[in-house]
Each structure stands twice: as structure tokens, then as C-alpha cells.
Amino acid sequence: MWVCPKCGRSFKNVDQSHYCGKPPATIEEYIAAQPEEAQDYLRQINAAIKASIPEAR
Ligand SMILES: [Zn+2]
């Protein structure tokens, strides 16, 4: 059990990665919060999902 000192949420794993504060409102915000090396990959996934399921959010 670990409690984040910044936002006070508790997690099973120490230093669990999570959003401190409010979650991102959009996919683009979520992607922008990820490490730069992961962003291109996430954008490709996002584009692929949108292409196959246009109504997906
Ligand atoms: Zn936190």
C-alpha cells in the first residue's frame, strides 16, 4: 500500500504511475502527458482505433 504524497490517492504498488489531480479530458491530452518516445506510438494507435471505429471516444 502506497499513498501518493502529491494527490493522496492510494495504490497497491509503490510509485504507481497515475494522474495526479484531474484525469486528462481528451485523448490528445492523455497522449501529451506520456513520455515523448511513446507519443508517436500512441497517436498511431489512436488513429487506427478512430479509423476502425469512427464513433469511438
Ligand atoms: Zn498522485
Side-chain angles (χ1 to χ4, degrees), residues 2 4-9 11 18-21:
W2 173 73
C4 175
K6 290 181 202 158
C7 66
R9 286 172 67 189
F11 299 93
H18 63 281
Y19 298 108
C20 282

Side-chain angles (χ1 to χ4, degrees), residues 5 15 18 23 26 56:
D15 285 335
H18 63 281
T26 64

